[in-house]
């Protein structure tokens, strides 16, 4: 579900935070039960970092997202009284 919301651009910031948290939990569980080499080989930490980068980026940088369309609509509604 998180992957679909990230691809569609719906609630992008919340989805990115949730994906980052889920990936970190997954990486830590892989590290505890397999070894520290397993999450590094699967690049789970890199995927979590990418999700955190997306969560921290401003909405205006989201090129193709539904959130950006709503932000434009909201700004237009505020500007035109």
């Amino acid at each position: 579900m998180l992957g679909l919301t990230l691809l569609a651009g719906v609630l992008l910031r919340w989805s990115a935070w949730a994906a980052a948290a889920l990936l970190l939990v997954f990486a830590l569980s892989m590290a505890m039960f397999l070894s520290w080499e397993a999450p590094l080989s699967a690049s789970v930490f890199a995927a979590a970092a990418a999700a955190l980068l997306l969560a921290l980026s401003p909405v205006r940088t989201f090129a193709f997202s539904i959130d950006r369309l709503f932000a434009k609509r909201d700004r237009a509604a505020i500007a035109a009284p």
Side-chain angles (χ1 to χ4, degrees):
M1 187 57 111
L2 286 174
L4 291 176
T5 58
L6 287 170
L7 286 174
V10 179
L11 296 173
L12 201 52
R13 188 163 310 239
W14 289 102
S15 300
W17 279 112
L22 183 68
L23 283 166
L24 284 175
V25 168
F26 178 62
L28 292 176
S29 66
M30 281 179 75
M32 284 190 332
F33 292 108
L34 296 174
S35 70
W36 279 105
E37 191 176 310
L40 294 173
S41 297
S43 300
V44 182
F45 290 116
L52 282 174
L53 183 65
L54 182 63
L56 295 173
S57 64
V59 175
R60 70 178 187 281
T61 61
F62 302 154
F64 303 108
S65 73
I66 295 174
D67 289 343
R68 185 171 180 185
L69 293 175
F70 286 141
K72 282 184 182 178
R73 188 187 66 180
D74 292 342
R75 275 185 274 144
I78 291 171

